Amino acid sequence: MEMANYSNRQIEIINAATKLINGGGIQSLTTKALSESVGFSEPALYRHFKNKTEILSAMLQFYGQRLKEKINEIINDEGNGLFKLERIVKYQFDHFSRHPAIVMVIFAEASFQNDAMLSEKVKNLMSNKKSKVEAIIKMGQLDGSIRNDIDTEQLSPIFMGTMRFTILQWRMNHYKADLNHQGVELWETMHSMFAAENMK
Amino acid sequence: MEMANYSNRQIEIINAATKLINGGGIQSLTTKALSESVGFSEPALYRHFKNKTEILSAMLQFYGQRLKEKINEIINDEGNGLFKLERIVKYQFDHFSRHPAIVMVIFAEASFQNDAMLSEKVKNLMSNKKSKVEAIIKMGQLDGSIRNDIDTEQLSPIFMGTMRFTILQWRMNHYKADLNHQGVELWETMHSMFAAENMK
Amino acid sequence: MEMANYSNRQIEIINAATKLINGGGIQSLTTKALSESVGFSEPALYRHFKNKTEILSAMLQFYGQRLKEKINEIINDEGNGLFKLERIVKYQFDHFSRHPAIVMVIFAEASFQNDAMLSEKVKNLMSNKKSKVEAIIKMGQLDGSIRNDIDTEQLSPIFMGTMRFTILQWRMNHYKADLNHQGVELWETMHSMFAAENMK
Amino acid sequence: MEMANYSNRQIEIINAATKLINGGGIQSLTTKALSESVGFSEPALYRHFKNKTEILSAMLQFYGQRLKEKINEIINDEGNGLFKLERIVKYQFDHFSRHPAIVMVIFAEASFQNDAMLSEKVKNLMSNKKSKVEAIIKMGQLDGSIRNDIDTEQLSPIFMGTMRFTILQWRMNHYKADLNHQGVELWETMHSMFAAENMK
DNA sequence: AATGAATGAGACTTCATTCAT
DNA sequence: CATGAATGAAGTCTCATTCAT
């Protein structure tokens, strides 16, 4: 996975594209709309990206990278596994509530489906995150903070699925709720379910 | 929600559309592709549906209705709440593994976003299901089968999110895994987490 | 010009077509709209008319015939030429104010232009009427009621053009004015201009 | 009424559209025919006009503006009212005989009827011209050149209707007659009828 | 680096008409 | 006599992309 370095213009375009997609789905990301949104002409887009797919690809790279870095940071920081999970929940909910436009890109599995390359990229993003989460859970089970009566592979979809679902609902209700607050509540519940002390 | 009655031709079209969407996302549902897939000319589609949106709308109606009926049946059948949850998991995983084409329609939040009416329909479908699940959980908490140390509203997103995530992964891996088997494993875990006897 | 005899169904269709055209121009006369308006299916139209052109053709025939008969009646009745002109004005304004739907068909020169046959028919209708009016004017010039210092061929376009224009304006203002009243006023003026006693 | 400034390309398109309409009615103005006529592809039209309605709208604007300017010029020039009417007749007949393609656009009431905005524009064009003509007639009645025994409002439809009818007939006979010659004859007659000296 | 102009492909949809029943 | 189903042709318009300047 190449470590991309994006120019200012490219980042402008990525941001504009993100907003468009979040506002009206993939279908509203047209080169025309994008060029208007970013403030210069359509052909100019092609000076910064080879084609539309490359723009979408860059978006995924861009956000995926950030997420990966953050999770790595969390992994390497101090604290037991359970605490790390908590940090992931908090980070993500805070991040999304501050940048709602990103939500749809991260949740884009359905949208990119007609482009094998993009679809693959989304899949990688997700499985990447999943294996990181699993690593953390495993750590937690070893350090005694996370219950070990359930397999890691069984716990991770619960963690990830619940987060996704909460965010999805927030989006479908037009970002009205206080996502951070929901994150706090969600974590309380997850704590009850994941903490070692809750094993019977 | 009107109880629609679809003609044979309409159901043919709905099926063809479902397959197309599942194969390549909303973008691959064009009137041309649809007419080819169903075996007659493009204008003929318009004898059976007023326009493309109505086709998508019918798809949602069609699948939503079935799901609702099934859940109602489960609610009204015998058994405690925990058992009912189990039946939902089993039913859905079995249903999807037999009709993978439906997955994308049920998971279409992102896709329909540029059409307010469809978007609303998807949202209703989801919140409808969610409230049914919550009713079941509440029943389980009352009949003593489901732990009552966690609020119903906190348990439902765990249940629904986890299911969604599992199915989503199955789809992203091109339906290779045995979904039913995954359902069984998932249920074991859920049982550990939801059952009343597992409260500390 | 064949003396056509239209069946009841055909007349129903002609009436419906007339209303459609008057409501929204030729473009709103589609076989679909027509069949809906008349209350039976599209193919049924083809049992009564060979095709759409024949329907339009029948409309022109139908109204042209009536007009011709009426004018002939006026010609053959008693009274001098000036009086006959007056009767034409009164008849037409009264007729249109009672059947506004007909206006557009009679004024259809522009609409039928892409069909040579219909275009020719409209032209005949108009030139037919014009020559009748000229005959009346000539009669009036001979019987001393109409001024004879101006050629018949010069008077007729004034008569016909003014009538048309008045009706056109009435139509463009959505039939709001009292057409009969306008006819009376118009006639007063025409009388001043056409009557023999007004020659200098 | 905004003072529009059309690009060269836009004027090319307006001209081509005018010719098409005049040749075969509104129905023959298709984007395909227009693009062929103007020499580039259909989508290219949309770089110069937002949509087809805007093209028609521009045509009306374009011709209406010219007409208005000319009439204003005539109004402000020297000469009595009767002379001004004469100049209008001569100008129009000369103009149309040189640019027959314009006729249909100016006579388009019936054609544009299914588009409220265009219909309104045509109506304005006509009533605008009518009120200008009435202003001139009033001037003539005051300066003693035009008969004042008939109301201005009664004279204007005679003037306008007769002109329209003459031009209409010319068009229906496929522009065969010498329109300028007909204008001269028409004016002679109108002079007899409008001049003050012809009052009884 | 940027753009105005252009385009081939293809989207959805409507039209008049036909055919089997 | 009537219709449900179907269609070829054509309509308007949008898309991603290219090219000359």
Side-chain angles (χ1 to χ4, degrees):
Chain A
M1 209 161 292
E2 74 282 24
M3 171 63 189
N5 230 356
Y6 296 112
S7 72
N8 285 348
R9 277 285 198 242
Q10 283 180 316
I11 291 175
E12 274 181 60
I13 292 171
I14 288 173
N15 284 336
T18 307
K19 268 173 206 143
L20 282 173
I21 289 182
N22 199 59
I26 281 285
Q27 318 223 38
S28 59
L29 180 68
T30 66
T31 51
K32 192 179 178 215
L34 186 54
S35 70
E36 275 165 13
S37 168
V38 89
F40 43 71
S41 73
E42 281 181 81
L45 295 175
Y46 288 82
R47 204 145 286 274
H48 301 289
F49 288 101
K50 212 181 104 225
N51 53 34
K52 203 178 137 183
T53 297
E54 293 266 304
I55 296 177
L56 288 165
S57 179
M59 288 168 64
L60 291 175
Q61 193 93 42
F62 190 70
Y63 293 118
Q65 215 165 278
R66 276 222 233 168
L67 184 62
K68 214 197 303 186
E69 284 163 14
K70 187 69 194 179
I71 293 186
N72 280 336
E73 191 189 312
I74 291 176
I75 286 186
N76 296 325
D77 269 5
E78 291 174 12
N80 62 25
L82 194 61
F83 178 64
K84 285 174 196 213
L85 283 189
E86 180 178 0
R87 283 190 63 196
I88 289 182
V89 174
K90 298 272 166 75
Y91 163 71
Q92 284 245 10
F93 280 56
D94 183 57
H95 186 57
F96 285 143
S97 69
R98 262 197 289 218
H99 309 287
I102 302 173
V103 174
M104 196 107 168
V105 181
I106 296 285
F107 277 51
E109 64 302 326
S111 312
F112 295 155
Q113 207 181 337
N114 64 328
D115 183 314
M117 191 248 276
L118 291 175
S119 179
E120 199 61 22
K121 242 172 184 152
V122 176
K123 191 176 134 187
N124 285 343
L125 216 127
M126 236 178 72
S127 67
N128 217 301
K129 185 177 165 196
K130 197 182 161 215
S131 59
K132 291 279 168 56
V133 166
E134 282 175 0
I136 293 179
I137 292 176
K138 207 152 274 170
M139 288 165 69
Q141 289 176 321
L142 289 176
D143 69 29
S145 61
I146 295 178
R147 65 195 293 175
N148 61 9
D149 59 336
I150 299 182
D151 277 357
T152 316
E153 292 74 27
Q154 294 298 316
L155 286 180
S156 75
I158 296 181
F159 181 79
M160 293 191 63
T162 306
M163 275 181 65
R164 279 186 82 88
F165 188 76
T166 306
I167 292 160
L168 172 61
Q169 278 201 303
W170 174 62
R171 152 162 245 304
M172 293 195 76
N173 287 305
H174 310 288
Y175 315 110
K176 274 178 203 139
D178 175 350
L179 189 61
N180 273 313
H181 177 69
Q182 288 193 275
V184 172
E185 289 198 334
L186 177 59
W187 179 248
E188 269 176 43
T189 308
M190 284 196 163
H191 187 276
S192 304
M193 303 201 114
F194 282 61
E197 72 235 39
N198 288 305
M199 284 187 288
K200 77 169 167 173
Chain B
M1 212 161 290
E2 72 282 21
M3 172 63 188
N5 231 357
Y6 297 110
S7 72
N8 286 348
R9 273 287 196 245
Q10 283 180 317
I11 290 174
E12 276 181 57
I13 292 170
I14 288 173
N15 285 336
T18 307
K19 267 171 208 145
L20 281 172
I21 289 183
N22 200 60
I26 281 285
Q27 317 224 37
S28 58
L29 180 67
T30 65
T31 52
K32 189 168 181 233
L34 186 53
S35 69
E36 275 165 11
S37 166
V38 91
F40 41 67
S41 73
E42 278 182 84
L45 296 175
Y46 288 82
R47 191 152 292 273
H48 303 287
F49 289 101
K50 215 179 103 230
N51 53 35
K52 204 180 137 182
T53 297
E54 293 262 304
I55 296 176
L56 289 165
S57 180
M59 289 168 62
L60 291 176
Q61 193 94 41
F62 190 70
Y63 293 120
Q65 216 166 276
R66 277 222 232 165
L67 183 61
K68 214 200 302 188
E69 283 163 13
K70 188 68 194 179
I71 294 187
N72 280 337
E73 192 190 310
I74 291 176
I75 287 186
N76 295 324
D77 269 5
E78 289 173 13
N80 63 26
L82 193 62
F83 178 63
K84 285 174 196 213
L85 282 189
E86 180 178 0
R87 284 191 60 197
I88 288 183
V89 173
K90 298 272 166 72
Y91 163 71
Q92 284 244 10
F93 281 55
D94 183 56
H95 186 59
F96 285 142
S97 70
R98 262 196 291 216
H99 309 287
I102 301 174
V103 175
M104 195 105 169
V105 181
I106 296 284
F107 278 52
E109 345 80 34
S111 313
F112 295 155
Q113 198 164 352
N114 64 328
D115 183 314
M117 191 247 278
L118 291 175
S119 180
E120 196 62 22
K121 244 173 183 151
V122 176
K123 192 176 136 188
N124 284 343
L125 216 126
M126 237 178 72
S127 69
N128 218 302
K129 186 178 165 194
K130 195 180 163 214
S131 60
K132 290 279 168 59
V133 166
E134 282 176 359
I136 293 179
I137 292 177
K138 207 152 273 169
M139 287 165 68
Q141 290 177 321
L142 289 176
D143 68 29
S145 60
I146 295 178
R147 64 195 293 174
N148 60 10
D149 60 334
I150 299 181
D151 278 356
T152 316
E153 291 75 27
Q154 294 297 317
L155 287 180
S156 75
I158 297 180
F159 181 79
M160 292 192 63
T162 306
M163 275 182 65
R164 279 186 85 88
F165 187 78
T166 307
I167 292 161
L168 172 62
Q169 278 201 302
W170 174 63
R171 148 161 248 304
M172 293 194 76
N173 287 304
H174 310 289
Y175 315 112
K176 274 178 203 139
D178 175 350
L179 189 60
N180 273 313
H181 177 68
Q182 289 193 275
V184 171
E185 289 199 332
L186 176 60
W187 178 248
E188 268 177 45
T189 309
M190 283 196 164
H191 187 276
S192 304
M193 304 202 113
F194 281 61
E197 70 235 41
N198 288 305
M199 283 187 287
K200 76 165 169 176
Chain C
M1 209 161 290
E2 73 282 20
M3 172 63 188
N5 231 356
Y6 296 111
S7 71
N8 284 349
R9 277 284 198 243
Q10 282 180 317
I11 291 175
E12 274 181 60
I13 293 171
I14 288 173
N15 284 335
T18 307
K19 267 172 208 146
L20 282 173
I21 289 182
N22 199 59
I26 281 287
Q27 318 223 38
S28 58
L29 180 68
T30 65
T31 51
K32 192 180 178 214
L34 186 53
S35 70
E36 274 166 13
S37 168
V38 90
F40 41 70
S41 74
E42 281 181 83
L45 295 176
Y46 289 81
R47 203 147 286 274
H48 301 291
F49 289 101
K50 214 179 103 224
N51 53 33
K52 202 179 140 184
T53 297
E54 294 265 303
I55 296 177
L56 289 164
S57 179
M59 288 169 62
L60 291 174
Q61 193 94 41
F62 190 71
Y63 293 118
Q65 214 166 277
R66 275 222 232 168
L67 185 62
K68 214 199 300 186
E69 284 164 13
K70 188 67 193 179
I71 293 187
N72 280 338
E73 191 190 310
I74 291 176
I75 286 186
N76 295 326
D77 268 6
E78 290 173 14
N80 62 27
L82 194 61
F83 178 64
K84 286 172 194 214
L85 283 189
E86 181 179 358
R87 284 190 60 195
I88 287 182
V89 173
K90 298 273 166 72
Y91 163 71
Q92 285 245 9
F93 280 56
D94 183 56
H95 186 58
F96 285 141
S97 70
R98 263 196 290 215
H99 309 289
I102 302 173
V103 174
M104 196 109 169
V105 182
I106 297 284
F107 278 51
E109 29 2 286
S111 313
F112 296 155
Q113 207 183 335
N114 63 329
D115 183 315
M117 191 248 277
L118 290 176
S119 180
E120 198 61 23
K121 241 171 184 153
V122 176
K123 192 176 134 189
N124 285 343
L125 215 127
M126 237 178 72
S127 67
N128 217 302
K129 186 179 164 193
K130 195 181 162 216
S131 58
K132 290 279 168 58
V133 165
E134 283 176 358
I136 293 179
I137 292 177
K138 207 152 272 167
M139 287 165 69
Q141 289 176 321
L142 289 176
D143 68 29
S145 61
I146 295 179
R147 64 194 295 174
N148 61 10
D149 60 335
I150 299 181
D151 279 356
T152 316
E153 291 75 26
Q154 294 297 316
L155 286 180
S156 74
I158 297 181
F159 181 78
M160 292 191 62
T162 307
M163 276 181 64
R164 279 186 83 88
F165 187 78
T166 307
I167 291 160
L168 172 61
Q169 278 202 303
W170 175 61
R171 152 165 244 303
M172 291 194 78
N173 287 304
H174 309 288
Y175 315 111
K176 275 178 201 138
D178 176 350
L179 188 60
N180 274 313
H181 178 68
Q182 288 192 276
V184 172
E185 288 196 333
L186 176 60
W187 179 249
E188 268 176 44
T189 308
M190 283 194 163
H191 188 274
S192 305
M193 304 202 113
F194 281 62
E197 72 235 39
N198 288 306
M199 285 186 288
K200 76 166 172 181
Chain D
M1 214 161 286
E2 71 284 21
M3 172 63 188
N5 232 357
Y6 296 111
S7 72
N8 286 350
R9 274 288 195 243
Q10 283 180 316
I11 290 173
E12 276 181 58
I13 293 171
I14 288 174
N15 285 337
T18 308
K19 269 172 207 144
L20 282 172
I21 288 182
N22 199 58
I26 282 285
Q27 317 223 37
S28 58
L29 180 68
T30 66
T31 51
K32 187 167 182 236
L34 186 53
S35 70
E36 275 165 12
S37 167
V38 89
F40 41 68
S41 73
E42 280 181 80
L45 295 175
Y46 289 82
R47 192 153 291 274
H48 302 287
F49 288 101
K50 216 179 102 229
N51 52 34
K52 205 179 137 182
T53 296
E54 293 262 306
I55 296 177
L56 289 165
S57 180
M59 289 169 62
L60 291 175
Q61 193 95 41
F62 191 69
Y63 294 119
Q65 215 166 277
R66 277 222 232 166
L67 184 63
K68 214 199 304 189
E69 283 163 13
K70 188 68 196 181
I71 294 187
N72 280 338
E73 192 190 310
I74 292 176
I75 287 186
N76 295 326
D77 270 4
E78 290 174 14
N80 62 27
L82 194 61
F83 178 65
K84 285 173 195 212
L85 283 189
E86 181 179 358
R87 283 191 61 197
I88 288 182
V89 174
K90 298 272 166 72
Y91 164 70
Q92 284 245 9
F93 280 56
D94 182 57
H95 186 59
F96 285 143
S97 70
R98 264 197 290 218
H99 309 287
I102 302 173
V103 175
M104 194 105 169
V105 181
I106 297 284
F107 277 52
E109 346 81 33
S111 313
F112 294 155
Q113 197 161 354
N114 64 329
D115 183 315
M117 191 248 278
L118 291 175
S119 180
E120 197 61 23
K121 243 172 183 154
V122 176
K123 192 175 134 188
N124 285 344
L125 216 126
M126 235 178 73
S127 69
N128 217 300
K129 186 178 165 195
K130 197 182 160 214
S131 59
K132 290 279 168 58
V133 166
E134 281 176 359
I136 293 179
I137 293 177
K138 207 152 270 168
M139 288 165 69
Q141 289 176 322
L142 289 176
D143 67 29
S145 61
I146 295 178
R147 64 194 295 175
N148 62 10
D149 59 335
I150 299 181
D151 279 356
T152 315
E153 291 75 26
Q154 294 297 316
L155 287 179
S156 75
I158 297 181
F159 181 80
M160 292 192 62
T162 307
M163 276 181 63
R164 278 186 85 88
F165 188 77
T166 307
I167 291 159
L168 173 61
Q169 278 202 303
W170 174 63
R171 146 163 251 303
M172 293 193 75
N173 287 303
H174 309 288
Y175 315 111
K176 276 180 202 135
D178 175 350
L179 188 61
N180 273 313
H181 177 67
Q182 288 192 277
V184 172
E185 287 197 334
L186 175 60
W187 178 249
E188 268 177 44
T189 308
M190 283 195 163
H191 187 276
S192 305
M193 304 200 114
F194 282 62
E197 71 234 39
N198 288 305
M199 284 187 288
K200 75 164 172 180

